[in-house]
Each structure stands twice: as C-alpha cells, then as structure tokens.
Amino acid sequence: MNRLFKTPTGMSRRHFLEHLAGASALTLPAVNFTNSLAANAKDMKKRHKAAILLYMGGGPSTIDIWDMKPGTSTGGNFKPIATTGEMQICQHMPLMAKQMKHMAVVRSMSTREADHTRGRYYMHTGYVPNPTIEHPGYGSVVSHELASQLGDLQIPPFVSVGGGSVGPGFLGMTYAPFVVDYNGDVRNAATALKQDRLEQRMYMLASIEKGFIAQNRGDAAVEHQKVLQKTVSLFTSKQMGAFKINSEPQKTREMYGRGGFANGCLMARRLVEEGVPFVEVDLGGWDMHNGIFPAMERKLGELDKSMSALIEDLDQRGMLDDTVVLWMGEFGRTPRINGTAGRDHWARAWSVAVGGGGIKGGKVVGATNEDGTEVTTDPYKSEDLMASVLKALGVSLETTFTSKNNRPMKIANSGRVIKELFA
Amino acid sequence: MGSALTILRVVRGRAPLALVVFALATAQAFAVEKAPNRGLPAAAPTTDKNARKGDTTEGTTTKSATTDAEIIALINTSIKQGWKDAGVTASPAASDGEWCRRLYLDVLGRIPTVDELTAFTSEKSPNKRRALVDRLLESDKYVEEYARNWTALWTNLLIGRPPQQRDRRSMVNREGMQQWLRRSFLKNKSYDTMVYELVSATGCSKPGEEGYNGAVNFLLDNLQENAATATAKTARYFLGLQVQCTQCHNHPFNEWKQDQFWGMNAFFRQTKALRTFAGRNEIDFVRLENEDFPGESNKNPKEAEIYFELRDGTTKVAFPTFVDGTEIGHSGFADEVNRRVELAKLVVKSEFFGRAIVNRLWAHFLGYGFTKPIDDLGPHNAATNPELLERLGQEFSAHGHDLKQLIRWITLSEPYALSSKIGPKNKRDDPTLGEKPLFSHFYLRQMRAEELYESLLAATEADKVKGSYEQQEKTKGAWLEQFTIAFGTDEGDDETTFNGTIPQTLMMMNGDLIQNATKDEPGSFLHKVWTSNMKAGGKIDVLYLAALARKPTANEFRLANELLAARGGDGMAALQDVWWALLNSNEFILNH
C-alpha cells in the first residue's frame, strides 16, 4: 500500500493518478496536474480579441492632458505638444505623443455622475447605480461574451491588477475580477507543500468529494468539484507564469518603468498574450482639489512612460489590432481653477482615450468650447463608449442579459457606437 | 394585543383543532388591527422595556406545545399537499447528525463542535430536537452567538458588506448599525418594534456620541437622490414589494404604478442628515433628524408636495401615500405630521409585513422562499404555497412578531428535517432549473463567508484566542475582505459573494486560516487529537465528526489508514492530510 502514495518514479504521473482514481467516471481534481503540465500554450492558442482598461481612479484633469486650452483663463500651466496623430496633447506626455497615431481621443464625453463612487460605477457599467440591481462591469461583460474564445485558459478571464474595478453584478461570481496586486502575487496561490504531499491530500479529498456526489445531493456538490479542479489547474498551471513580470528582459522592464502601474501594464500585456480577454490596471491618485499642477506633472510622468510602453509593445508584437486599450477615469475636472490651485469634479465635458482593436488611431472625436466647460459637438456618454469598445471586440450589441429579478438588461445599456472611431 | 392573547390562552387549553385554528385567525385579525397601537404614546409598536416585557410573559403561554405543534402541523400539511399535487415522493429524513449540523449553521452561523454534536446524538429523549432548538435560541450559553449571527445577516442586508477602502465621506457607521442590531437580537426585540425603529429612527449614528441610535444607519446609507433608495428598500425589505422599477415609469408587468413610488418617497422628505467632520473630509458621525418640509415648490408647508416626471415629460404631484393607498396629512410641519413615524406605523401593520419576514426566514432555513426573488410578493409573482405563506405571516403577527417563535416553527417542521439526498421520485424538484421549489428534499447550499469563518473556528477550536467582541469582528472582517468583491447587500439573492470562486478555494487550500487549522503545535486541535489516548481509528472518527458531523465510511477509513502507511507511520502528518482534505471537501463547505 505504501507505494500507492509515494511520488511515482517508474510510471508517468497520468498513469499514477488514473491508477488512484480507479474505474471511477469522476475526474480526480489531481488529474489536471497532468493536463496543465502537458498543455502546450503556443499551438493551442487561437487569435482572440482582448481589452485592457487603464483606469484612472479619482478623475484626472483631462483638460490638462487630452484637450488643452492654451492661452485661456482655464488653460492651466501646461503647454501642448504635437503628436503622431492629428491632435496635440500635454507637454508632459512626450512618449505618448509618439504613440498617438494608435490612439483616438474622445473630447466630447459628457456625463452626469460627478461623485467618485457613482462615477466609477457608471463608467464601468454603462448604468447609473440602481438601488436593487447590480450591473456587471466592463471586465465581466467582456469575459462573459468572449467566454467561447477562451480555449484552454486556466487563468480567470477577468484580471484586475491593483484592485478597484466593479463587481460582476448579476452575471455572477464566475465573471468576478480576479484581483492580483501590482507585483503579480495571487493571494494564496503559493503552497508550501511538496508536490507528493499535495497529491496525497488531493487524493484523499477526491474520495470525500466522490462519496458525497455519489449520494445524489444535487448540483452544488458537483459544482464544487469543478471549482476545485479549476483552482488546482490554476495554481499548478504554467500559465501562472504570465503574472511573473520578473521573467521579462531587463530592457523591457526599463521600457515600462518602475512602480505598480508600470508592473500592471507589463502584466496586462503578458496576460493578454496568454489568452486573458480582459485586464484592468488601476492608477489612482487623480483627485487633485489643490495644488494640481505639480501633482499632475509627477503623475503624468508615471502614466506617460508605462502607457506608451504598453501601446508600443502591443504594436510591435502585432497584438494591437486585436487588443483594445481604453484609458478613462470617472469624470474630468473643472476648467475653472479653484482657490487652492486645484480643480474639482466636472463630468459635463471631458475626455477619454481609446485605441487598438480596429479603432482608428490618431483621431480626435468631438470638441469642447473655448474654455472647456461644455461639449460643442454631439455629446457621448459611458454607454456609448462601452458600446464602441464592445463593437471593436466583436461583441454583438443586440445582446440582452436577464437580471436575477427577471429584468431584461441591454448590453452596454443600449449605448450607440461612436461612429467616428471606426470611420 | 394583550386581550388577543388572552383569548388565545383561554381557547387553547382544551379546544379541538378546528376551533383553535379559527380562534387563531380571529385573534389574528384583531391583533393585526391593533398591533401598532398598544396603548403607547405616539402609537408606536413597543419599546422593549415596558409593553414588550408583558408580551414576553404572555408569549410564554403561547409557546405551549399545542400551539407550536399546531402551526408546525400546518406547515407539514401544506408542504405535503404540494408533494402530492406534484406527484413527488419526499426524501427520507436526515440523520440526527445532519439535522444538528444544519440547525447550528442556520441558527448560530456555525457548525457544532464534536462535544455539542455527540451530546445531541447520544440523547435518547423523543423531544430532543425541540430541546436543541430551545437551547440554541434561549440558553445563556448561546445568546451571544445567536445575536452575532443575526447581526451579521441583517447588517449585510441593511447596509451591505464593507467596501475594501472605507469611504471617508460615507454617512454610515458600521459599528453603530451592528451594535444596535446586536442589542436588538440579544433581547429578542419584537420584529415590528425593530422595523418601526429603523423606519422612524432619529439620533446619532456613532456609538458613544450623545443621542446614539444605531438604527439611523440604515436610512443614512440610503438617503441619496431624495431618498430614492430608502423608498425602494423600505418597501422591498419590510413589505416584499418591489416598487423601485416604478421610480421612472409604470412597470410593464407588475401592478405598481409610478405614483406609488413617489407617494412612498414623500414620507422621507422631512429627513435631514447633519454631518460632523473629523478633519477636513472625513465624516465622524451623522445625526438623522426630522425637519419641516416646505414642499418642493416652497409655497405652502401645509401642503408640502413633491413632484415627479412621467416618461412623456409631464410633471405630477405627490403627497405621502402608502402603497395600499392610505394617505396621511399633507402638512410638512414635523410636529403636525411626522411622516416617517406615520410610515413606520403603516409598514408594521401592513398585510405584507408578516408575509415578507416569513418568506425571508423560510428562504434562510430552506434555501428558497415561497417566491423568487424572496422580496417580491406582489400579485404578479405567485407564491408556492400561498395560503401557508399568508397564514404563517398572520401567526407571526399574532404571536407578537417573535422571530424566535418563527424560527421554532420552521426548524421543527418536516421539510427542514429531510435529507438532502435526492431520490428518483423527487428528482424534478430542482429549483435551480427554474422549477418552483417543493421542499421535498433539503436544498444544498454554500455556506456564507461568515458561516465558513465561524465554522472553521468551531471545527479547529481556533477561537481559543479570543479578544473583545470588536477585536474578533475586526479579525473576521479582515479575513472576509478577500471575498467580498461585489460589496453588495445580501438582498435575498440565491448567490452570495462567496460561492465557489477560485479565490475562495485558494484560500481553503493554501490560506493562513487553513495553515493554522492544520498546525501540529501543542495546544492546537490536531495536536490534542494526536496526543490523546484514543486509538488511531478513534482519532480519525473525531476529525470526521468535527468537520462533517458523521463518522467515516468503511472506505474512507481504509483510505485514511493507507495514508498513514504512506506517510511512513508518521501519524501526525497523516492526520494533517486527512484534516486538510475534510476541510476542503464539498461536504464541509455545503450546508446539507
């Protein structure tokens, strides 16, 4: 009996585990060790669409970044510079200026949520908060819709780097953000156990699982076994290597820069490469009610380096055509500079940047008036932006979800596609 | 109320069943009518100290075996009729161990310890189930745990789980909400009193501040946008009426109309939240007060109106009007018409009030309510067993809105005692497929995150290191944070924030809590088992009892022994492996 539980030496692991499982029709969770080890990611991988959301928590002052008003009373301290696209952007984004041929700027965002929590929710879901329904956010919607393309992906389809984001709402926890920190650590993914001991435990566990399921207790028991399997697959999977930015060449690390956001951007590229359809990277700290210009300058330096590296890297690897990159906050900031040299919340006229996935780069969509207080062209809302991103990902805008209390919910809240992004 | 109960007492002694049932119904009608008017000032339901005490004394009388037995019989008859009508055969009864485990989980929020389990299973009395229910609900030993569990449940419902990063500008004081709920459950405050206090609350949100009244935190969480959420949640949680869709338009498939939403909403318009800041931006505490409401046009406070917009752009006027059409005075002067007090009175005497809480508790114990969702009781959403639901609602009111009494009826009923094993003749009783639940077997469900935490502590005796109540709650909160991604409220959804996700499973396999639970340090549960003078077989038995409330099967026993051999006779390591596997199993993590 002893040898049954010892690490096998003379036979393949698959054989060993099958032996343990006996004639049972049930798959041992442990069998997936073999599958994941054997899986050859390269030739299994299909071309697929993906999106990376760079979320700027706190609401950046877009009038100082993408839609500058030099020479006006609201224009602030910064100067615009030319880019490789048709627009000018802030002088503190020189690296992004080189990448703007890939990115479109929508200057005609006009929304109504100027509170952080509500704005975050609205910009992530396309819906304003409602007392009794929780809507799914971008990552959940996209991973739900692209689920059929996932192939042998063992990492959850929606990864959020640095927390934040918005929950899966009525789509359920399968589509919840899988939260990792900026250095790629997945909570509890590491085990101190040696492989043989883990396998023995898994074997013991499988016998209890099997026994309970065999008593015909219904789906929840069967579901639990599936999750066990998924989990073991995950933390023993080679794909976990996608989180390990340390394995990137020094040159690439330097290109992205140092710090949490830089790590997140690099991780996003690696995850998308591995087949993850949605990655969100959080860069907070934009809530600048006082002393905005020196603070912005520092922040823009960090953003410029990592975001430009991400776009350049995606482009060089031929991934940009299939990967949408969306930059947004929850709102913009007041054109009027306040008494403490800051800017307050302003949702009525602000900008986002989006590119990749077939979206026309180098373009400007919409315009604001001379001092940046109002949108002078057709205004766009969160749901319109979301519809456009979904279109770029090939998701049908006819999709309707049914919420738990049986309410039909149109994907992206029936937003209309921002046509200029595609023409 | 007192006289209603007197009638009951007289009738119940010797009357035949039919008469008792009739008397209950009659008394019920009387009690409902009188409920919010127990001769107290301002016609408030009760404050615990005075009238409530009297009720409790009388309540003891109503808790005679006959009374409870009658109501439990009603449940059994009605549910069995459902099986008969649907042509299903119910599963056999659950074992003592299984029943005991689920009772501890559902009442106290954790599984039983080995001692508690064996004390129950070795008892011979035919009334031992009733005795256990009473013990968990009434004995001093468990009153704290009971309160802790129901405080957690209600906190999640009323103000949601805490967000990852505390919002410094949030008006809610979580400790304030918890402390108020905990005190309410500790003294078994009647449910109508609780709801009355929540809806009409004024005072300060934070414990220790002058005028502290933790009940205000429910409304403080819901006052944004002219209290639209407060309107929706009050109707939904306490009446089971979903009026929120009508906020913007008449509902396409239920009968609630837009003016009903705004009629309800007008009750909240005297409400004022006064914030006190600590530092520049951080809210320290909030006082909820009533102030005069001049009406939205600001013309005539005696006719303090609000306006709402129809889809076609027309504006309509609304005054405080309860969902059943009851109107109160139009005055906005708080000392003439206190709108929230009036609303609170209407809520607790509504015909929906008892039904809503019965349905919520039924779903808590049986996995599904009589309606889906549980708090949508409108006429468009037919209940399974509608008569039973209505009847239980009436009985609940007639018995002084006593939550513990309601828990007794449900947990001592036959459907609650059924096995979760599904047989060929009730296979189609599967609500996950959208079928109406027949309750012909116990529906498996995932433990809530809080239940899992407390169960792990119970099973591993890890709670030996106890701090103050607040410290324990903090530790638990930090642990829970890793799962509560949705941060929503538990609004009677079938799904919790903790339902078989990968992060949860990773935590169970590799997390701190499990590593602690499988440690072999002196003083740990495993160490005690290992160093006890039990035989090897006995040690395995203890682990199975602690985790699963049963002994191992012959096959499991054999496997455990093989594992021992495989570990080269290192018994402690083998115990660790078995223990780890047990805690990770579906049978542990599911309420079955």
Side-chain angles (χ1 to χ4, degrees), chain A residues 2 10 15 60 75 105 108 112 135 224 234 289 299 302 381 390 400-401 419:
Chain A
N2 217 355
H15 183 91
V105 173
S108 44
R112 289 168 65 176
H135 303 92
H224 181 260
L234 172 72
H289 288 279
K299 204 86 200 160
E302 186 183 1
K381 299 180 291 186
L390 292 173
T400 299
F401 301 116
K419 290 189 302 287

Side-chain angles (χ1 to χ4, degrees), chain A residues 35 75 87 137 182 200 203 215 280 292 302 310 322 333 338 346 375 385 411:
Chain A
N35 293 346
M87 74 292 276
Y182 289 114
Q200 284 165 9
Y203 176 46
Q215 290 170 334
E280 178 164 345
I292 189 167
E302 186 183 1
L310 173 65
D322 292 312
R333 305 197 78 83
N338 67 23
W346 190 251
V375 170
L385 181 63
I411 196 167

Side-chain angles (χ1 to χ4, degrees), chain B residues 428-447:
Chain B
R428 59 197 186 79
D429 177 12
D430 185 356
T432 61
L433 300 177
E435 303 288 330
K436 285 195 169 182
L438 295 167
F439 309 105
S440 74
H441 58 89
F442 190 80
Y443 302 122
L444 288 189
R445 53 189 183 272
Q446 179 99 25
M447 285 188 202

Side-chain angles (χ1 to χ4, degrees), chain A residues 1-2 5 118 131-132 134 173 187-188 191 197 200-201 205 207 209 212 215-217 221 224 227-228 231, chain B residues 98 225 229 236 244 420 422 444 488 499-501 505 510 559 565-567 573 576-577 580 584-586:
Chain A
M1 272 303 136
N2 217 355
F5 293 91
R118 294 180 62 85
T132 46
E134 284 193 31
M173 294 305 280
R187 194 163 177 170
N188 298 323
T191 172
R197 186 117 189 239
Q200 284 165 9
R201 288 185 174 189
L205 172 56
S207 84
E209 293 286 294
F212 194 68
Q215 290 170 334
N216 209 7
R217 306 264 189 166
H224 181 260
V227 176
L228 276 182
T231 307
Chain B
E98 284 174 328
E225 298 195 354
T229 37
R236 187 169 171 197
Q244 72 277 359
S420 58
I422 305 164
L444 288 189
N499 68 337
T501 60
T505 313
N510 305 325
L559 286 172
R567 297 246 58 95
Q576 282 179 316
D577 291 349
W580 182 93
N584 271 284
S585 69
N586 48 15

Side-chain angles (χ1 to χ4, degrees), chain A residues 67-88:
Chain A
D67 186 16
M68 305 193 67
K69 303 291 176 185
T72 68
S73 63
T74 56
N77 294 357
F78 301 157
K79 294 191 169 49
I81 53 171
T83 70
T84 53
E86 69 181 43
M87 74 292 276
Q88 292 187 317

